[in-house]
Amino acid sequence: MSAKTYEVRTYGCQMNVHDSERLSGLLEGAGYVRAPEGSDGDADVVVFNTCAVRENADNKLYGNLGRLAPMKTKRPGMQIAVGGCLAQKDRDTIVTRAPWVDVVFGTHNIGKLPVLLERARIQEEAQVEIAESLEAFPSTLPTRRESAYAAWVSISVGCNNTCTFCIVPALRGKEKDRRPGDILAEIEALVAEGVSEITLLGQNVNAYGSDIGDREAFSKLLRACGAIEGLERVRFTSPHPRDFTDDVIAAMAETPNVMPQLHMPLQSGSDTILKAMRRSYRQERYLGIIDKVRAAIPHAAISTDIIVGFPGETEEDFEQTMRVVRRARFAQAFTFQYSKRPGTPAAEMEGQIPKEVVQERYMRLSALQGEISWEENKAQVGRTLEVMVAEGEGRKDGATHRLSGRAPDNHLVHFTKPDEEVRPGDVVTVEITYAAPHHLLAEGPTRKVRRTRAGDAWDRRNTTEAAKPAGVLLGLPTVGVPAPLPAVTGGCSVE
């Protein structure tokens, strides 16, 4: 009898991607195997890991569930599970609107998925189990990493902020920090497996330490990462300007393997709107952080999140956002039209902006940021960069005889494929010859290829597990388990 197959569909932020790796690990630990790529619901178990941030999240989920209903009718024994933030929020509503769903679980009890699936199968009725607080820190669960050379490492879950546009704290709970020793032990275990790049992950990552009573815990953690032999690149997402202190900037500048990249959510450039959002900083404070980072790390690439059309936003408020964008010169900005979410204070505020006004402002902001991104990228032409070769970053690599990877500041670089073998995780030295708005090109010969332990790990994965689904399955180590690094932009700060 062949093993049952599974498919996990992920929506939303990096935390959801992180959780999906855990869900995959749990299912494989229970004997399931991943369904082939492109199966599109043709699996024994289909899991939706949902997001509740955007207004169309509900429609997207129920539309996908509706498309699976006839498939389930034709496939006896097929099960459908819904988890994540939308499941935490809607609970019993899901099985009312989609009674063919077998399991609903929340953000705090993802470890229960295999048990809930088995219980639903035996009892032949939907299982809805939503925990109100975290049952087990995600990193104590098994994982199935997609990358052999890069990984997420979760340092905290939850958020203590009360932003009026954000529903996430109500769904993820208050911040809970991991012990530094557990985090560093997990990173060391990852490096031993061949990982050379890690991204520290938290809903408000630089608030790390508030739960354990150490205001400088995050900067200490960055510095400790610098002492781990074999760890070449350290990134983190997403921070909050309120907690971005000078000791963090110093740690970034003085720790060689902490990359010159910063994602710093702005949300609005207007002090009036920032106050209405309950964002505990103002324009001057935000720009001061940017200036300090650039003084300490001249080549830092800074990206941001911006919401357009928050309730009460006037043309002058919007112009203040445009002013900050011109002044900060972000390498990239993830811009969003305000989305009303039931259950948030902003949803009940007066002064909701007409859709056509929001759209017009959004287009103006996008056009400005597009110009700036292109200008900033053009400044990279002529620079020599070390690029870590990536897997799946360049959709046209085969047709253009190129490979793709990430520079230290996280710029996407497409480069001419060298004559010698280059594997994901290896590092090449190239000269940038052309800049597009969203990527860089190195069209000349590769100056140097450095084979790495991360490339060796990629080789091992693809040779010793050729008969298995792609990915790296790790069980329960004594301290923690590795995590993935798919390409996801933004975070729970992106509303």
Side-chain angles (χ1 to χ4, degrees):
M1 181 178 177
S2 60
K4 290 185 176 181
T5 58
Y6 77 90
E7 175 188 353
V8 178
R9 301 185 186 183
T10 308
Y11 305 97
C13 68
Q14 294 97 331
M15 190 65 74
N16 271 19
V17 175
H18 178 83
D19 285 348
S20 287
E21 296 295 326
R22 308 299 178 189
L23 294 170
S24 295
L26 286 161
L27 290 170
E28 295 196 6
Y32 295 86
V33 298
R34 176 175 289 186
E37 290 292 330
S39 59
D40 193 24
D42 189 22
D44 295 300
V45 171
V46 179
V47 183
F48 291 89
N49 191 7
T50 63
C51 174
V53 170
R54 305 301 296 162
E55 189 173 12
N56 66 351
D58 307 57
N59 294 335
K60 181 180 290 186
L61 171 64
Y62 292 113
N64 285 320
L65 290 175
R67 284 188 285 274
L68 287 184
M71 298 179 66
K72 187 178 182 188
T73 300
K74 297 176 183 177
R75 184 170 185 154
M78 179 182 179
Q79 291 184 296
I80 300 172
V82 179
C85 289
L86 192 61
Q88 186 82 19
K89 180 175 76 74
D90 284 358
R91 306 180 181 219
D92 294 327
T93 303
I94 293 174
V95 292
T96 300
R97 293 183 60 178
W100 53 93
V101 169
D102 299 277
V103 170
V104 178
F105 61 101
T107 58
H108 299 309
N109 62 332
I110 64 174
K112 290 287 187 67
L113 177 60
V115 172
L116 293 173
L117 287 169
E118 183 65 9
R119 190 186 301 165
R121 185 186 65 81
I122 293 172
Q123 297 183 6
E124 297 184 343
E125 65 179 11
Q127 301 296 307
V128 179
E129 187 169 308
I130 305 292
E132 297 302 329
S133 60
L134 191 67
E135 292 186 349
F137 203 92
S139 290
T140 64
L141 301 173
T143 189
R144 185 185 193 280
R145 290 189 288 114
E146 296 301 325
S147 173
Y149 54 89
W152 298 117
V153 174
S154 182
I155 69 172
S156 64
V157 295
C159 180
N160 293 336
N161 292 318
T162 58
C163 301
T164 56
F165 55 78
C166 185
I167 198 171
V168 170
L171 304 178
R172 290 280 183 177
K174 293 293 185 180
E175 181 176 326
K176 184 174 179 59
D177 296 335
R178 293 178 70 192
R179 289 173 21 183
D182 291 349
I183 296 168
L184 294 171
E186 179 181 341
I187 296 172
E188 290 170 352
L190 285 165
V191 173
E193 289 286 332
V195 166
S196 60
E197 175 178 316
I198 62 104
T199 298
L200 302 175
L201 180 64
Q203 243 110 26
N204 185 9
V205 69
N206 60 322
Y208 176 75
S210 63
D211 183 47
I212 57 180
D214 185 352
R215 293 173 61 89
E216 296 188 351
F218 187 64
S219 62
K220 292 174 182 177
L221 182 62
L222 291 178
R223 292 183 185 277
C225 287
I228 298 177
E229 185 177 355
L231 180 59
E232 297 194 17
R233 296 186 172 192
V234 178
R235 307 185 191 276
F236 58 89
T237 194
S238 288
H240 192 295
R242 182 196 66 187
D243 304 299
F244 212 83
T245 49
D246 290 349
D247 60 298
V248 174
I249 297 173
M252 291 177 64
E254 296 166 9
T255 309
N257 63 356
V258 175
M259 294 294 95
Q261 173 210 357
L262 175 63
H263 182 76
M264 180 69 76
L266 169 65
Q267 308 302 10
S268 174
S270 163
D271 288 355
T272 300
I273 297 301
L274 288 171
K275 182 178 180 180
M277 289 178 167
R278 289 190 200 149
R279 300 286 288 181
S280 50
Y281 56 89
R282 299 297 178 258
Q283 181 186 122
E284 183 178 355
R285 157 75 172 152
Y286 184 93
L287 289 173
I289 294 172
I290 300 301
D291 289 342
K292 288 181 179 180
V293 170
R294 291 224 163 97
I297 314 168
H299 289 301
I302 302 175
S303 57
T304 195
D305 303 325
I306 300 173
I307 298 171
V308 178
F310 187 81
E313 182 186 74
T314 65
E315 181 63 22
E316 174 57 28
D317 292 324
F318 176 70
E319 283 298 333
Q320 288 298 309
T321 296
M322 297 283 274
R323 175 185 180 275
V324 175
V325 170
R326 293 187 187 98
R327 169 84 157 68
R329 298 194 65 80
F330 299 113
Q332 189 176 14
F334 301 101
T335 56
F336 300 88
Q337 298 182 36
Y338 169 72
S339 178
K340 182 189 291 189
R341 300 307 291 139
T344 63
E348 305 301 323
M349 287 182 177
E350 296 181 356
Q352 301 288 328
I353 310 299
K355 176 68 175 177
E356 61 273 15
V357 175
V358 178
Q359 176 69 19
E360 189 272 338
R361 290 175 183 171
Y362 173 81
M363 296 302 293
R364 283 158 55 197
L365 176 60
S366 297
L368 173 62
Q369 181 56 50
E371 293 174 4
I372 293 172
S373 294
W374 200 358
E375 290 170 1
E376 291 297 303
N377 277 4
K378 288 176 182 177
Q380 302 289 320
V381 174
R383 290 189 65 195
T384 299
L385 301 176
E386 281 197 337
V387 175
M388 181 177 289
V389 183
E391 188 173 27
E393 290 269 28
R395 290 175 295 176
K396 299 180 181 179
D397 282 352
T400 58
H401 197 64
R402 293 173 181 151
L403 296 176
S404 300
R406 294 283 174 174
D409 64 4
N410 210 37
H411 269 106
L412 176 62
V413 179
H414 304 300
F415 60 94
T416 302
K417 188 175 183 179
D419 293 333
E420 60 187 291
E421 180 190 21
V422 180
R423 308 159 300 176
D426 288 339
V427 175
V428 299
T429 303
V430 298
E431 180 181 343
I432 303 303
T433 59
Y434 178 81
H438 304 295
H439 67 266
L440 303 172
L441 288 181
E443 300 166 301
T446 300
R447 295 191 173 185
K448 181 181 178 182
V449 174
R450 176 164 62 86
R451 294 174 68 84
T452 65
R453 293 172 60 254
D456 294 341
W458 185 88
D459 265 345
R460 287 195 300 272
R461 187 192 73 178
N462 285 275
T463 54
T464 63
E465 298 196 1
K468 300 179 182 179
V472 182
L473 176 63
L474 300 181
L476 288 167
T478 55
V479 178
V481 290
L485 186 59
V488 177
T489 57
C492 282
S493 59
V494 180
E495 307 299 335

